[in-house]
Amino acid sequence: MWFSKSQNEVLKELGVNPAVGLTESEAKQRLEKYGMNKLKGKPKKSLVSLFLSQLKDMLIYVLLAAAVITLIIGEYADSIIILLVIILNAVIGVFQEYKAEKAVEALQKMTTPKSVVRRDGEVKEINSEEVVPGDIIILDAGRFVPADLRLIESANLQIEESALTGESVPSSKDASKLFEDPKTPIGDKANMAFLSTLVTYGRGEGVVVATAMETEIGKIAKILDDDNDEMTPLQKRLDELGRILGFLAIGICALIFIIALIQKRDLFEMFLTAISLAVAAIPEGLAAIVAIVLALGVTRMSKIHAIVKKLPAVETLGSVNIICSDKTGTLTQNKMTVVKQYTLNNLVDISGTDANLTATPDENELVRSLVLCSDATYVNGQGTGDPTEIALIILGEKFNLTRSEINNKHKRVSENPFDSDRKLMSTLNVEGNGYRVHTKGAIDNILKLSTTALVNGQKVPLTKEMKTDYLRMTENMSDSALRVLGVAFKDTTEMIAPEEMEKELTVIGIVGMIDPPRLEVKDSIHEAKLAGIRPIMITGDHKNTAVAIAKELGIAESIEQSITGAEIDELSDEDFAAHINDYRVFARVSPEHKVKIVRAFKAQGNIVSMTGDGVNDAPSLKYADIGVAMGITGTDVAKGASDMILTDDNFTTIVHAIEEGRNIYNNIKKSVIFLLSCNLGEVITIFISILLNWPVPLIATQILWINLITDSLPAIALGIDPGDKDVMKLKPRNPKESFFARGAGLRAVIGGVLIGIFTLAAFYYGLWEHGYVLGSGAVPEEALPYARTMSFVVLAASQLFYSFSMRSTTKSLFKIGPFSNIFLVGSLIVGMLLQLVVISVPVLANAFGVHNLTLQDWALVLVFALIPLIVNEIIKTFMRSNEHK
């Protein structure tokens, strides 16, 4: 409540004399008491805790169970292989999170490295982290505020607080004001200055009342420390899948024992068979493959300027259907720009023009007066001072009226600084043998003080009609969300006092300026809307300004689609959530409103992305499904709260990231459905053979080889498939949609059944070749290894070929191009070579219990292996013909 206390009360409470400041010994004691002036983040996780966190997954638990069981029964090689898969998966996850964290650290910059303080009666510069409560801080244009201050002196002080309030126009400060209302909004506390805001104009002094986590920004940072880490949709899908597979494995083992008891088989042999089936039911490589695919996706995204902090966020971004974006600096350029200028009966649009403009005599006087009546600087593309004045200096450069040149020619000798009551600023400059007053500010105030107007280079009496004309044009510009400044002058033969400057003026005209939209954003918003994504603007700016920008960008169509923070407060949470879909623009909102907006959208079942760069965006970045922070202009607090950081601060990158996210999810889905088809084929093969009282066609080692080696190569290749070029023409996925929706489950079943049937057919053919027929009793000793080799090769080869059919659910293999995914072609070649090596090299052949095959059997094996692929392509043809009917 410092804003409600006088300067003397605050100084007394903090025990400091403003003329002397704290002594060094007092400052040292307070530093020990209050701590360093820096925001505290959550303690970083160690590599060990990061590693252990990767193991908290149902699928990993199932794999660990399989490893323990194989260890108990003495299959040590199998146990080691499964454990290696688990470790590989965890290491990939740790590496990716650690790498992303390092990238974030590299992005973070110290926003306030130095502060000017008064200590021991001397003004000195110290590190901002050493500022303590009670320190007297000296403020001037261009400096960041190092802590929360109660101002004790102010002279034309203006502070840009967009990082905290979202307003791009600086707030005027007045140290003498008091505010009794305890609910005074941050933006209205004119006697306070806040951490990380920027002084744009004037000077001032303030006493530090809060540092670090006790500041307004620190309070926001505390909100972010509340854990709100929900599982992403992909994590939910894989967790659900892991549970299903875990229960399935247990169920299969139980069923096998029941069948064994009925058939009066050897129970230990059946126990080994049950383990084989459990191993067959679990895709051991799935967790590692998903992590690899996500890691590769993250690497691709970093190349398009998007740093992903957590792997699953890639997929979340792909399912986003609402993008809530802050206006200032994200949709707009966060720099005021003059777009229109008006002298009597002469309106000129100067938006989009670069330089070397020619001016009429009236326009020349208008621009010259605006430049001379400004304190900002603009050198080598860098501006300092008030954003409005920087815009005026840039306007002068377009007309070749540079500030340095005309200020040297017309030196300023006096001024009447801007204040909020007059809403005017005047300077007195040398003009020939005399002087000229240049005044800028609110046009209605200027018109009241003017008696003449400049028309075609001549002073003429200011008529009522002229005043009406200026005011009509001002209203038109305001309706277009432009900020309007009027300008006037007065010639005098001698130096005059400031209070005499603003009398009997000659009005020249007006200029209209705006914080313009980013050039590339409009196309990105159009692309997002085509993809079924709804862009939403959230801003602290005025409703009319926000709606005008939203209309220009294509976010909103009318003012009825907007709502203010005050109007939100009048609605209950239930009413607000029920009508949330009616709005596209949220204006004059606080950080609490932003969180409320995100939650309301989420309550309607949406996947919400929030983009922003200011501290005020941070809580909503945290609560959104995916928070996207700006890497260049973004504050450290915003970056810490986000899931993804844009290194180029470009809204367009979000749309590209969404496209990448959608393709990554589709690729993961292809990999998972492919692996499940393969595993189902293995389960069907073993289960049916047991029901028929046949020998088991595959042993556990062979299944593990196929699951971990043969399957994994095409699964990874599917995971890095080039992706569908039409993916942004589709609507976002329903976030509640099952992993097996849109026929995915059916495709897995069909693939699994086909692979299982032809693996069994190959096994039976191998037995038949060696004289065994159904019901003929004992199996010949040499027949079983040969028949198992046939089923082993068919199973592996059919899975390799089938992967090509998994690239699209509807498009034929030839339309996509059989060689368009070179990695998939490579996986087929490598996979077949590995199968050849396993059955040809004696040491490996003995380990896997297989034999070499004759050329005739190789031909038959390849025919059997191709059938699942061919059948699936025929099914696709029927599906396409049904769609066109």
Side-chain angles (χ1 to χ4, degrees):
M1 297 288 284
W2 299 102
F3 55 87
S4 62
K5 296 177 182 179
S6 69
Q7 292 106 310
N8 289 334
E9 285 178 309
V10 173
L11 291 166
K12 190 176 179 182
E13 196 169 326
L14 291 166
V16 61
N17 177 353
V20 179
L22 298 175
T23 64
E24 285 295 343
S25 59
E26 281 178 318
K28 191 175 181 182
Q29 286 173 6
R30 294 189 187 198
L31 190 62
E32 288 173 5
K33 180 180 177 181
Y34 295 105
M36 297 288 276
N37 178 33
K38 60 180 180 181
L39 299 180
K40 294 182 179 69
K42 286 184 184 176
K44 288 184 182 176
K45 285 184 178 178
S46 66
L47 286 175
V48 174
S49 60
L50 270 177
F51 182 84
L52 292 174
S53 68
Q54 305 297 319
L55 304 179
K56 293 176 183 175
D57 181 79
M58 181 66 183
L59 213 58
I60 300 294
Y61 298 154
V62 173
L63 290 181
L64 284 168
V68 169
I69 292 167
T70 48
L71 192 66
I72 290 167
I73 63 170
E75 297 290 340
Y76 302 118
D78 297 354
S79 296
I80 291 167
I81 290 170
I82 296 170
L83 286 170
L84 283 173
V85 169
I86 293 167
I87 292 165
L88 174 68
N89 173 65
V91 167
I92 289 167
V94 168
F95 175 72
Q96 194 55 46
E97 284 197 28
Y98 182 75
K99 193 170 77 170
E101 199 60 46
K102 286 295 175 191
V104 172
E105 283 175 22
L107 276 173
Q108 288 175 335
K109 307 182 198 94
M110 281 289 287
T111 51
T112 54
K114 298 286 181 185
S115 299
V116 178
V117 301
R118 184 178 289 121
R119 284 185 182 174
D120 291 321
E122 294 179 5
V123 173
K124 55 181 75 175
E125 197 171 52
I126 65 167
N127 192 316
S128 291
E129 292 185 352
E130 295 169 11
V131 167
V132 295
D135 259 328
I136 303 298
I137 304 292
I138 315 298
L139 299 173
D140 54 17
R143 284 198 181 274
F144 279 97
V145 179
D148 282 6
L149 313 178
R150 169 63 167 93
L151 296 171
I152 53 177
E153 276 185 31
S154 59
N156 306 313
L157 184 62
Q158 292 183 15
I159 299 180
E160 197 263 298
E161 298 177 330
S162 68
L164 197 59
T165 65
E167 292 278 9
S168 58
V169 177
S171 304
S172 295
K173 298 295 180 180
D174 186 345
S176 62
K177 287 193 175 179
L178 290 178
F179 299 94
E180 300 297 332
D181 184 359
K183 293 184 178 177
T184 304
I186 287 173
D188 293 342
K189 292 176 183 174
N191 60 3
M192 298 286 292
F194 302 102
L195 172 65
S196 280
T197 56
L198 175 68
V199 179
T200 60
Y201 190 76
R203 60 181 182 77
E205 289 186 14
V207 59
V208 176
V209 294
T211 59
M213 299 304 284
E214 299 308 310
T215 61
E216 289 296 330
I217 282 180
K219 289 171 188 173
I220 292 173
K222 282 178 188 171
I223 296 172
L224 307 178
D225 281 341
D226 296 339
D227 279 320
N228 188 45
D229 296 329
E230 294 180 20
M231 291 176 76
T232 68
L234 178 64
Q235 287 173 316
K236 289 174 185 173
R237 301 282 174 271
L238 291 177
D239 192 57
E240 173 195 341
L241 181 62
R243 289 175 196 281
I244 291 168
L245 293 174
F247 291 128
L248 185 68
I250 295 165
I252 286 169
C253 291
L255 194 60
I256 289 294
F257 273 103
I258 292 167
I259 293 169
L261 289 169
I262 293 167
Q263 294 182 346
K264 297 180 181 177
R265 290 200 180 199
D266 181 86
L267 287 181
F268 183 72
E269 184 188 325
M270 278 296 98
F271 186 72
L272 289 176
T273 305
I275 294 300
S276 295
L277 254 178
V279 168
I282 302 163
E284 284 80 5
L286 181 61
I289 285 163
V290 169
I292 289 166
V293 170
L294 280 171
L296 292 170
V298 165
T299 305
R300 280 210 304 272
M301 290 181 83
S302 67
K303 291 174 184 173
I304 59 164
H305 309 294
I307 291 177
V308 176
K309 289 168 65 183
K310 291 186 178 177
L311 286 178
V314 180
E315 175 273 334
T316 313
L317 196 66
S319 60
V320 161
N321 64 334
I322 300 276
I323 300 178
C324 294
S325 175
D326 190 52
K327 177 181 77 71
T328 306
T330 308
L331 295 171
T332 64
Q333 298 172 25
N334 201 15
K335 58 181 183 184
M336 297 298 282
T337 305
V338 178
V339 292
K340 287 183 180 179
Q341 63 182 32
Y342 179 75
T343 52
L344 199 66
N345 300 323
N346 181 29
L347 177 65
V348 180
D349 188 329
I350 49 174
S351 58
T353 52
D354 293 326
N356 300 317
L357 295 176
T358 55
T360 64
D362 294 0
E363 288 172 344
N364 195 72
E365 287 304 324
L366 175 119
V367 175
R368 192 167 72 105
S369 286
L370 286 169
V371 173
L372 286 169
C373 192
S374 295
D375 290 323
T377 62
Y378 186 76
V379 181
N380 299 324
Q382 293 297 316
T384 57
D386 183 280
T388 300
E389 291 196 343
I390 293 171
L392 300 176
I393 302 298
I394 294 170
L395 174 68
E397 293 200 349
K398 288 183 178 181
F399 285 93
N400 296 315
L401 294 169
T402 60
R403 181 181 186 274
S404 56
E405 189 179 323
I406 62 173
N407 267 300
N408 289 335
K409 191 175 178 182
H410 306 282
K411 290 193 182 298
R412 185 187 299 185
V413 292
S414 182
E415 66 182 278
N416 190 358
F418 176 89
D419 72 47
S420 53
D421 295 328
R422 292 172 21 255
K423 294 184 179 174
L424 297 171
M425 172 187 174
S426 297
T427 62
L428 185 66
N429 296 71
V430 173
E431 184 75 28
N433 296 324
Y435 302 94
R436 177 173 284 189
V437 174
H438 301 279
T439 301
K440 73 174 193 294
I443 186 64
D444 47 352
N445 289 6
I446 284 176
L447 290 173
K448 288 173 190 172
L449 301 168
S450 298
T451 55
T452 56
L454 188 69
V455 181
N456 299 326
Q458 303 295 318
K459 290 181 188 176
V460 299
L462 181 63
T463 64
K464 189 177 180 182
E465 289 74 20
M466 287 179 183
K467 286 185 178 182
T468 305
D469 189 69
Y470 283 122
L471 292 172
R472 178 181 55 80
M473 192 55 63
T474 299
E475 192 176 335
N476 289 345
M477 287 187 185
S478 297
D479 288 344
S480 301
L482 300 186
R483 189 177 180 210
V484 182
L485 270 184
V487 62
F489 73 95
K490 178 173 77 170
D491 288 318
T492 175
T493 55
E494 58 187 13
M495 291 269 292
I496 56 175
E499 56 270 17
E500 296 297 316
M501 290 179 184
E502 293 160 3
K503 292 177 181 177
E504 298 180 346
L505 298 173
T506 301
V507 63
I508 310 173
I510 58 175
V511 291
M513 58 184 72
I514 196 167
D515 180 7
R518 288 177 177 266
L519 300 175
E520 68 283 351
V521 165
K522 191 170 184 177
D523 289 339
S524 302
I525 284 171
H526 178 67
E527 189 179 348
K529 287 168 85 173
L530 285 179
I533 299 160
R534 195 187 318 157
I536 302 292
M537 180 192 286
I538 302 181
T539 179
D541 215 336
H542 291 280
K543 192 174 186 177
N544 287 356
T545 307
V547 171
I549 295 283
K551 280 182 179 178
E552 187 177 342
L553 291 173
I555 292 175
E557 293 172 3
S558 68
I559 199 161
E560 285 73 33
Q561 291 179 306
S562 63
I563 187 171
T564 64
E567 290 167 338
I568 292 171
D569 289 334
E570 292 171 10
L571 298 172
S572 68
D573 286 356
E574 292 74 21
D575 286 346
F576 181 53
H579 294 97
I580 189 79
N581 291 324
D582 298 338
Y583 303 113
R584 299 291 182 273
V585 177
F586 298 87
R588 304 300 282 169
V589 295
S590 68
E592 290 75 22
H593 289 132
K594 292 186 175 189
V595 175
K596 192 173 180 180
I597 291 161
V598 170
R599 283 179 167 165
F601 275 121
K602 288 178 75 172
Q604 297 294 318
N606 296 297
I607 299 284
V608 182
S609 166
M610 170 72 190
T611 70
D613 54 4
V615 173
N616 64 320
D617 295 325
S620 43
L621 289 176
K622 176 79 172 176
Y623 284 108
D625 290 290
I626 179 158
V628 183
M630 302 296 149
I632 300 169
T633 59
T635 56
D636 290 348
V637 177
K639 290 173 192 170
S642 66
D643 300 291
M644 189 175 89
I645 298 167
L646 306 183
T647 58
D648 61 353
D649 282 17
N650 195 331
F651 186 91
T652 305
T653 303
I654 299 169
V655 180
H656 293 157
I658 286 173
E659 182 178 358
E660 194 69 53
R662 286 187 178 189
N663 274 323
I664 288 169
Y665 182 85
N666 290 343
N667 287 349
I668 288 172
K669 193 169 178 176
K670 290 176 200 173
S671 296
V672 171
I673 298 301
F674 166 71
L675 288 171
L676 293 181
S677 297
C678 298
N679 284 56
L680 184 61
E682 294 160 12
V683 170
I684 287 170
T685 303
I686 295 173
F687 193 69
I688 290 178
S689 68
I690 290 166
L691 284 178
L692 297 175
N693 211 3
W694 287 9
V696 179
L698 298 159
I699 57 175
T701 319
Q702 292 170 346
I703 293 169
L704 270 174
W705 168 265
I706 289 170
N707 283 1
L708 297 174
I709 309 297
T710 317
D711 284 1
S712 298
L713 295 173
I716 293 170
L718 284 171
I720 51 175
D721 208 32
D724 189 353
K725 291 172 185 173
D726 299 328
V727 75
M728 290 300 276
K729 293 177 184 176
L730 304 173
K731 299 293 178 192
R733 283 187 329 278
N734 183 333
K736 295 177 182 174
E737 179 182 286
S738 164
F739 207 73
F740 302 103
R742 302 186 192 184
L746 183 62
R747 284 196 302 281
V749 170
I750 291 170
V753 169
L754 288 168
I755 290 167
I757 287 170
F758 286 97
T759 302
L760 276 171
F763 179 67
Y764 184 75
Y765 182 82
L767 292 174
W768 176 79
E769 266 193 312
H770 287 76
Y772 175 83
V773 290
L774 281 173
S776 62
V779 180
E781 193 176 324
E782 72 281 359
L784 190 55
Y786 196 86
R788 279 180 174 162
T789 305
M790 291 280 286
S791 58
F792 179 52
V793 176
V794 166
L795 182 63
S798 61
Q799 292 175 2
L800 289 168
F801 286 130
Y802 190 70
S803 65
F804 282 80
S805 189
M806 293 302 299
R807 290 189 62 196
S808 173
T809 57
T810 53
K811 294 177 184 174
S812 76
L813 177 60
F814 296 103
K815 186 172 183 181
I816 303 168
F819 303 106
S820 58
N821 184 342
I822 198 70
F823 297 104
L824 196 58
V825 175
S827 72
L828 172 66
I829 295 166
V830 171
M832 291 302 288
L833 283 173
L834 285 171
Q835 289 303 112
L836 186 61
V837 167
V838 165
I839 64 173
S840 304
V841 177
V843 177
L844 291 172
N846 289 336
F848 284 93
V850 289
H851 281 274
N852 210 339
L853 298 178
T854 64
L855 278 176
Q856 181 186 337
D857 285 345
W858 265 111
L860 183 72
V861 159
L862 290 175
V863 169
F864 278 4
L866 280 166
I867 291 172
L869 167 65
I870 294 164
V871 171
N872 204 49
E873 287 299 307
I874 292 168
I875 291 169
K876 281 190 204 175
T877 307
F878 282 113
M879 283 172 66
R880 285 194 301 275
S881 62
N882 285 337
E883 281 177 12
H884 293 132
K885 281 180 182 176

